[in-house]
Every structure is written in structure tokens, then in C-alpha cells.
Amino acid sequence: MKIILDVMGGDNPPEAIVRGAIMAKESVSSRIVLVGNETMIREALAKHGADENDFDIVHSDGVITMEDGPMCIVQKKKDSSMAKALTLLAQGEGDACVSCGNTGALFTGATLIVRRIKGVRRAALATIMPYDNDVMLIDSGANVTVTADYLVHFAYLGSIYMRKVYGLEAPRVAIINNGEEKHKGTPLVLEARELMLGDEYINFVGSVEGQELPYAKCDIAVCDGFTGNVILKTSEGLSNYITDAAMAAIKAAGNASEEVLEAMEKIRRRFDSTEYGGAVMIGLTKPVVKAHGSSDSNAIKNALICAEKYAKSDVTSDIEKAFEVLDPLAQLANGGKNDSKK
Amino acid sequence: MKIILDVMGGDNPPEAIVRGAIMAKESVSSRIVLVGNETMIREALAKHGADENDFDIVHSDGVITMEDGPMCIVQKKKDSSMAKALTLLAQGEGDACVSCGNTGALFTGATLIVRRIKGVRRAALATIMPYDNDVMLIDSGANVTVTADYLVHFAYLGSIYMRKVYGLEAPRVAIINNGEEKHKGTPLVLEARELMLGDEYINFVGSVEGQELPYAKCDIAVCDGFTGNVILKTSEGLSNYITDAAMAAIKAAGNASEEVLEAMEKIRRRFDSTEYGGAVMIGLTKPVVKAHGSSDSNAIKNALICAEKYAKSDVTSDIEKAFEVLDPLAQLANGGKNDSKK
């Protein structure tokens, strides 16, 4: 297998990203294709004592920055490393693609270049949160405005992924809400909840509130991408803030043992977002993984491991087969009653 | 001054709530009016060795539960303790009201019984988060669906409150968003940001993302009540989860000193939502404070302290004066240009 890595995105390109690829060599069996400025890639490989022959290198000019709008990837920046990486994936030159660049551009590029699986209303960005169980937050930032039927599709996509990649038999789907009671929720949430309640293809367990997310109430938490982004970013910020404050307080106590400091450092790492495997884009014909924007080498390594797992699971074929049956347009015409699936 | 306390809401009424009132006696100079089942109140006071003469007691029948819809407070449950407490406040029998019951019912009751200040489009629920600075999250759960001009009013209300009650000269207002870049945001956020940018009465500092909230980027974070509820609940859940995990890990290390355990316990308390002073409802003619639903006695005590501070600051008069000038309808007609204020 081959994993295509855009090395020009994120906060410290390309060196930290190339270094992540070198680190990943021990953990992934796939060959890694480095896409970006060739000279800089060779310099970064040399600096870290890596053998150029262990990687494929594909040159590209131009970089998509965080300030670029999402459409730039198919317009004025269609020669950028991110566009090149996705084009290689679409052309079959690799089995998965990883980037830590601009999320909006990556999502737009993935949708327009790699393309959605037939029948999927919208691809989604999904992030696994490291709590009592692995909880998938879907959409975690790509689709800022959605309709109720998009949310239902996110539930389908998340269910298939968690079944295939995480081995859960009947993943429990919940919808993010501001309360459990029947009258709680925005009109969007109320409509989506109604659709999911009546859907035999979703193991729907009702509403979930933010404070319940760490406590194994569901395997998949569905929401719009704005809400998902807010949950994820708030969690990241607070995790760092609290673990830093705890570490500082323990050190200030003056007599913390080495074992205590080590235990606290482990807690800090457990909740550190750069330790996660990256967010996956689901609903596309090929696996695309978004690593964190402030990705260090370790985060890139984990994103590459995640991408290989995603590609090897062949969940994409499962989604293709499922959506042949789900036939979303007929379903919508039926008001979510799913008669068309029977 | 008198503070009216609904003792029948929350998870453990009325005993834990009456006990909170007893505990608050040392910290507040106001007389506390206990509203609820008279027999149960007298029993709770006796149980904790308190003198009945230190409190006013007002009997009411009926309790609003978490399952009741928001309108019940003016319909079939208009004799409940919460309705009674708000009615006493509206009639001038007290200077502030505290309840830990159903948020939706309390907010609806506050709006319909205590009433909004003239010119305020919507009252808001605001919560102070305990980070590098005190950050007000407004709306933190009451107005689930909003328009851009409601968000502008939340910014006005929050600014006046933080100026008067927290002594900030020019509180920095930010809008919760999924990115700092100009193109980021839902249509609602984009519209509200545009309005705030052109508003000379708001010290607007732009968008803020969840991970920036702990790091003193703003004094007031504006959002719709759905998003605010999600931020608050996610933060509460994660705070408990992480501090519990850290405490467990430190204890498991086996040789943690007393000083270390104490330091960690302090961190846990700092981020424990029941230690907060409760959420304030702003934009009403009188102060109403919502204590946490799972309030223990300590949370009730802190909510009573918060209510007294709110009432003593007389911020309500400031808001009345400000909104005479702001004249929101004229302002809206001007597309947010505020010409009517000059």
C-alpha cells in the first residue's frame, strides 16, 4: 500500500512533517509518498539522516495557507501540494492521503477531486475522542451548515466506520443536544432525532449532552460541523489548560515523587490532541485523513498509522455497498421511513 | 436586601438547598426568603439546627420538574415554588431570585413574570468560566434559536454586566466561531460579526475558538444558547473527567505526598462547576440567578452570594438607561450602523 502525505501544510512545514513520516516508518508497512517542494523535502530527509530511497517524492509548487478560502484548491491553487496529493489519490497512485493543512480546502478538494461515494449526501469529518470508550464525533468541523438528512447520513457513515475499523457490532449513535428531554433541541436537532428514531439502520440511543461524552454513553456523537468544531476545540483547549494547571500545582507542592510526575505526564499525553490519530474524512471513494493543524512529528506519525488502518479495513467498499441499498433520495421522499431499503 | 430562593428545584430538594441557604448566612447580608413546601422547609431547618426566625418562609404547592416544558410555569404549574418565587420578585417582595430548577421554565417565567427591560430583544443566560481571566459565556443555554441582532444584544448586556459587576473598563467581546479567518462561520455568525464590527458600543475583538477560551483572549464570548450549552456542558464533563483521572493516576503512583494530593484536590475544586456562582439571567427588570441543576449546598451558597452581588451592583438600572439610548428597533432599521444612538 501507498500513503500520500502532503508535507507543506500545518504550522511547521515541511520539516516536522517529513520527520513524522520518518518516525512512522517503524509503525506502518505502507510506502509513504512525500508531496511538496522537492528540494526542501530532500533537505529535511538528509537533516534527519533518512534514506531518500525509503520514500517516494513528488514535487509540487505552491502551498495552501490557513487564510485561503476552501475553493482555492480547485481554482488558483490547483498546483499546490494538497491539490497534487489528492489528485494522486484520485488517480490511483496511492491508497490514502494525509494532510495537516487548511481543513476547508482539504474537505472541498477531497469532495471535488477524490469525490463522494454515490448516494452519500455529504462526506463528513470525524474525530475519535479518547475517553472511557472511543467516541466518534461526526461531523467534527467540515460541514458548518447542514440539514437533518445530512446528519442521518453522518450516522450511517459513522456506524459503518466504527463497525469495520473499531470492530463494534452495533455502534450506539447519539445526537448532540442541549438536554435529554423530548422538547429540547434546535429545529434541526428535533428533525434529525425524529428521522434517526425511525431508522432501523441506526442503533439510535437518543440525545447526548456534552458532560456525558466522556462516560461511554454512545460510540458515535452526531452533530453539525460548527457544533463539532466547538466541542473539539473547547475540549482541546481545556485539556491542555487543566493538565498544565495540575502539573504546575503538583510541582509547586515541592515534594512530588518521580512516579507522581510521570503519572501526571501520562495523563497530559493522554488528553493531548496531537497524540490523536487525526480526523478522518468519511463518505469519499478513498481514505483522506486530516492531521491537526499544529501537528508535530508525533501527530503526523499517528495520522499515517490511522490512514493505513483506514485503507486496510476497506471500509470504503462497505460504504459503497451500503449506500447502494440505502438509496437516500427514495428514503427522503418517504420522510425517513426507509421503505425503500426493505 | 432580600433574596428569594426556590427550594424545590434541582436533584435533592429541599434539604440540600435549605442547607445551602443556612451556609450562605455567613457570607451574605441579605435576608433569605425560602419558597416551597412549608413543612419540609421547617423540617430541613430543624435538621440542620438553624433558627426559623433567621429566614422568611413562603409556602407553595407543586414543583416544576426537568421533564416539564418551559411554558408550564405560566400554565398548569403557575402555583409551583418557582412561579411563586418569580412572582414575589416581580411584586417587589425581594431584590433577586435564585433557583436550581428547570432552566427553560425559569427563563420563560423570568421573561413573562419578571419581564424584560424595555428595548432588550431577548434576555440571556450568562455563565462565568474560571480561567486565566473570568470569561462570560453568553448565552449559555437559554435562547436555543437566535437571530444576529439577539447576539448583538447579548454583547450589550454582557458588556454592561462585566463593566459594573466585574469592574472591567472596556470588556473585550468575541464571537464563538469555528475559525478566525474572515470566511469562517455559519451565516448567523457572519452576520452577527459584521454587526458587532460596526458597533461603537461594543469593544469587539473578533472571533474566538474553543481552545482559546481559557487563555484570556476575551472577557465576553457571545454565542447562541445551543452552542453555549454545548460549550458549558462539554467543559464541565471534561473537567470532572480529567481531574478524576489525574487524581486516580497520582494515587496509583503509590507515594504521593499529602501536599501533592492537596494541590490536586484544589485543582479539582477550581474546575468543579458546582463551585461556580451559578448562571445569571441578564436583561430582566430584576436579577434572576440559575444555580446548577445538580446543585449541592455549596453551589446554592455561591449562587446566593452571586445574586446579592448582582442586586447590589444595580446593573439593572444601568441596562435600563443604556437601552433607552440604544433603541434597538431604530438601530436595526439602520443595519447596525447605530446612527440612532448619536
Side-chain angles (χ1 to χ4, degrees):
Chain A
M1 281 199 163
K2 272 190 184 179
I3 304 174
I4 302 161
L5 176 64
D6 164 21
V7 303
M8 305 304 285
D11 295 345
N12 291 305
E15 201 195 306
I17 300 167
V18 170
R19 192 161 160 255
I22 299 168
M23 285 162 63
K25 286 289 296 169
E26 285 171 26
S27 312
V28 301
S29 60
S30 303
R31 190 163 175 88
I32 300 170
V33 183
L34 307 171
V35 182
N37 182 292
E38 197 173 341
T39 315
M40 292 167 86
I41 292 173
R42 290 193 198 281
E43 275 170 16
L45 286 171
K47 186 173 169 188
H48 294 289
D51 186 346
E52 283 188 9
N53 298 315
D54 284 346
F55 298 89
D56 287 358
I57 300 173
V58 176
H59 178 75
S60 78
D61 287 313
V63 180
I64 292 176
T65 68
M66 297 311 277
E67 282 66 40
D68 285 317
M71 288 303 288
C72 73
I73 192 163
V74 287
Q75 293 170 347
K76 66 172 199 257
K77 296 217 171 169
K78 62 185 172 199
D79 294 323
S80 61
S81 58
M82 190 191 283
K84 184 85 191 172
L86 291 172
T87 304
L88 289 171
L89 181 67
Q91 290 169 343
E93 302 290 326
D95 302 282
C97 176
V98 173
S99 174
C100 59
N102 184 320
T103 309
L106 184 65
F107 188 72
T108 303
T111 300
L112 298 177
I113 298 167
V114 182
R115 307 198 76 86
R116 281 197 301 275
I117 288 167
K118 201 172 162 243
V120 172
R121 299 270 291 168
R122 285 282 184 111
L125 189 70
T127 301
I128 304 289
M129 297 184 295
Y131 300 139
D132 271 2
N133 61 334
D134 289 314
V135 185
M136 170 183 274
L137 183 69
I138 183 170
D139 186 291
S140 62
N143 297 284
V144 164
T145 48
V146 304
T147 60
D149 54 294
Y150 293 178
L151 293 180
V152 174
H153 276 213
F154 298 167
Y156 292 153
L157 294 171
S159 297
I160 300 169
Y161 190 93
M162 292 306 279
R163 220 158 22 225
K164 194 73 186 253
V165 182
Y166 281 75
L168 303 180
E169 204 173 309
R172 296 162 300 159
V173 174
I175 189 162
I176 298 281
N177 204 351
N178 63 326
E180 285 182 67
E181 299 82 9
K182 258 181 79 176
H183 61 274
K184 286 289 180 80
T186 60
L188 172 75
V189 169
L190 291 171
E191 189 188 345
R193 191 175 52 185
E194 212 49 39
L195 289 173
M196 290 188 203
L197 267 173
D199 194 316
E200 62 186 301
Y201 288 83
I202 302 171
N203 180 15
F204 187 60
V205 297
S207 294
V208 67
E209 288 188 84
Q211 79 276 19
E212 300 170 323
L213 286 174
Y215 299 100
K217 289 284 182 85
C218 63
D219 302 300
I220 298 163
V222 173
C223 60
D224 67 86
F226 185 86
T227 302
N229 180 280
V230 165
I231 290 175
L232 203 64
K233 296 295 180 69
T234 300
S235 301
E236 286 175 12
L238 201 58
S239 297
N240 291 335
Y241 191 77
I242 294 177
T243 53
D244 284 354
M247 183 60 106
I250 286 167
K251 282 185 177 163
N255 58 1
S257 67
E258 232 167 80
E259 289 81 4
V260 162
L261 292 173
E262 214 168 89
M264 192 57 223
E265 185 54 36
K266 257 191 198 162
I267 289 288
R268 172 140 68 176
R269 274 206 306 276
R270 174 171 167 208
F271 294 104
D272 179 357
S273 58
T274 61
E275 295 280 332
Y276 305 174
V280 291
M281 294 189 180
I282 320 182
L284 303 164
T285 59
K286 295 275 181 75
V288 175
V289 175
K290 164 74 177 72
H292 203 279
S294 60
S295 289
D296 59 11
S297 308
N298 200 43
I300 295 294
K301 183 191 89 175
N302 287 330
L304 287 165
I305 294 170
C306 168
E308 184 175 83
K309 202 168 144 192
Y310 187 172
K312 279 192 174 164
S313 75
D314 200 24
V315 62
T316 303
S317 299
D318 281 37
I319 295 173
E320 275 168 7
K321 274 175 224 146
F323 273 83
E324 276 169 23
V325 183
L326 288 169
D327 188 6
L329 292 175
Q331 184 212 344
L332 287 172
N334 272 321
K337 293 288 183 302
N338 301 316
D339 290 348
S340 64
K341 295 181 214 165
K342 285 168 192 163
Chain B
M1 280 198 163
K2 273 190 182 179
I3 304 174
I4 302 161
L5 177 64
D6 164 21
V7 303
M8 304 304 286
D11 295 344
N12 291 306
E15 201 197 306
I17 300 167
V18 170
R19 190 160 162 256
I22 299 167
M23 285 163 65
K25 287 288 298 170
E26 285 171 26
S27 311
V28 302
S29 59
S30 303
R31 192 163 174 87
I32 300 169
V33 184
L34 307 172
V35 182
N37 182 292
E38 197 173 341
T39 314
M40 291 168 86
I41 292 172
R42 290 192 198 282
E43 275 170 17
L45 286 170
K47 187 175 169 186
H48 294 288
D51 185 346
E52 283 189 8
N53 298 315
D54 284 346
F55 298 90
D56 288 358
I57 299 173
V58 176
H59 178 75
S60 78
D61 287 312
V63 180
I64 292 176
T65 68
M66 297 311 277
E67 282 66 41
D68 285 317
M71 287 304 287
C72 72
I73 192 163
V74 288
Q75 292 170 347
K76 66 174 199 256
K77 297 217 171 168
K78 62 187 172 199
D79 294 323
S80 61
S81 57
M82 192 191 281
K84 184 85 190 173
L86 290 173
T87 305
L88 289 171
L89 181 68
Q91 291 169 342
E93 302 290 324
D95 303 282
C97 177
V98 173
S99 175
C100 59
N102 184 320
T103 308
L106 184 65
F107 188 72
T108 302
T111 300
L112 298 178
I113 299 168
V114 182
R115 308 198 75 85
R116 281 198 300 276
I117 289 168
K118 200 171 164 246
V120 173
R121 301 269 291 167
R122 285 279 185 112
L125 189 69
T127 300
I128 304 288
M129 298 183 294
Y131 300 140
D132 271 2
N133 61 334
D134 289 314
V135 185
M136 169 182 275
L137 184 69
I138 183 169
D139 186 289
S140 62
N143 297 284
V144 164
T145 47
V146 305
T147 60
D149 55 294
Y150 293 178
L151 294 181
V152 174
H153 276 213
F154 298 167
Y156 292 154
L157 294 171
S159 296
I160 300 169
Y161 190 94
M162 291 306 278
R163 218 155 28 220
K164 195 71 186 257
V165 182
Y166 281 75
L168 303 180
E169 204 172 311
R172 294 161 303 158
V173 174
I175 189 161
I176 298 281
N177 205 351
N178 64 326
E180 286 184 68
E181 299 83 8
K182 257 180 80 174
H183 61 275
K184 286 288 180 80
T186 60
L188 171 76
V189 169
L190 290 171
E191 188 188 345
R193 190 173 54 185
E194 211 49 40
L195 289 173
M196 290 189 203
L197 267 173
D199 194 316
E200 62 186 300
Y201 289 82
I202 302 171
N203 179 17
F204 187 60
V205 296
S207 293
V208 67
E209 287 187 84
Q211 79 275 21
E212 300 171 321
L213 286 174
Y215 298 101
K217 288 284 182 84
C218 64
D219 303 301
I220 298 162
V222 174
C223 60
D224 66 87
F226 185 86
T227 303
N229 181 279
V230 166
I231 290 175
L232 204 63
K233 295 294 180 67
T234 300
S235 301
E236 285 175 12
L238 201 57
S239 297
N240 292 336
Y241 192 76
I242 293 178
T243 54
D244 284 353
M247 183 60 104
I250 286 167
K251 283 184 176 164
N255 59 1
S257 67
E258 231 168 81
E259 289 81 5
V260 161
L261 291 173
E262 212 167 273
M264 192 57 223
E265 186 52 37
K266 257 191 199 163
I267 289 288
R268 171 139 70 173
R269 274 207 304 277
R270 175 173 166 206
F271 294 104
D272 179 359
S273 57
T274 62
E275 295 279 333
Y276 305 176
V280 292
M281 294 190 180
I282 320 181
L284 303 163
T285 60
K286 295 276 181 76
V288 175
V289 174
K290 164 75 177 75
H292 203 279
S294 60
S295 288
D296 59 10
S297 308
N298 200 43
I300 295 294
K301 183 190 90 176
N302 287 330
L304 288 165
I305 294 171
C306 169
E308 184 174 84
K309 203 169 145 191
Y310 187 171
K312 278 192 173 162
S313 75
D314 200 25
V315 62
T316 303
S317 300
D318 281 38
I319 295 172
E320 272 167 8
K321 275 176 223 143
F323 272 83
E324 277 170 22
V325 184
L326 289 169
D327 187 7
L329 292 176
Q331 183 211 345
L332 287 173
N334 273 320
K337 293 291 183 300
N338 302 315
D339 291 348
S340 65
K341 298 181 209 163
K342 284 165 191 164

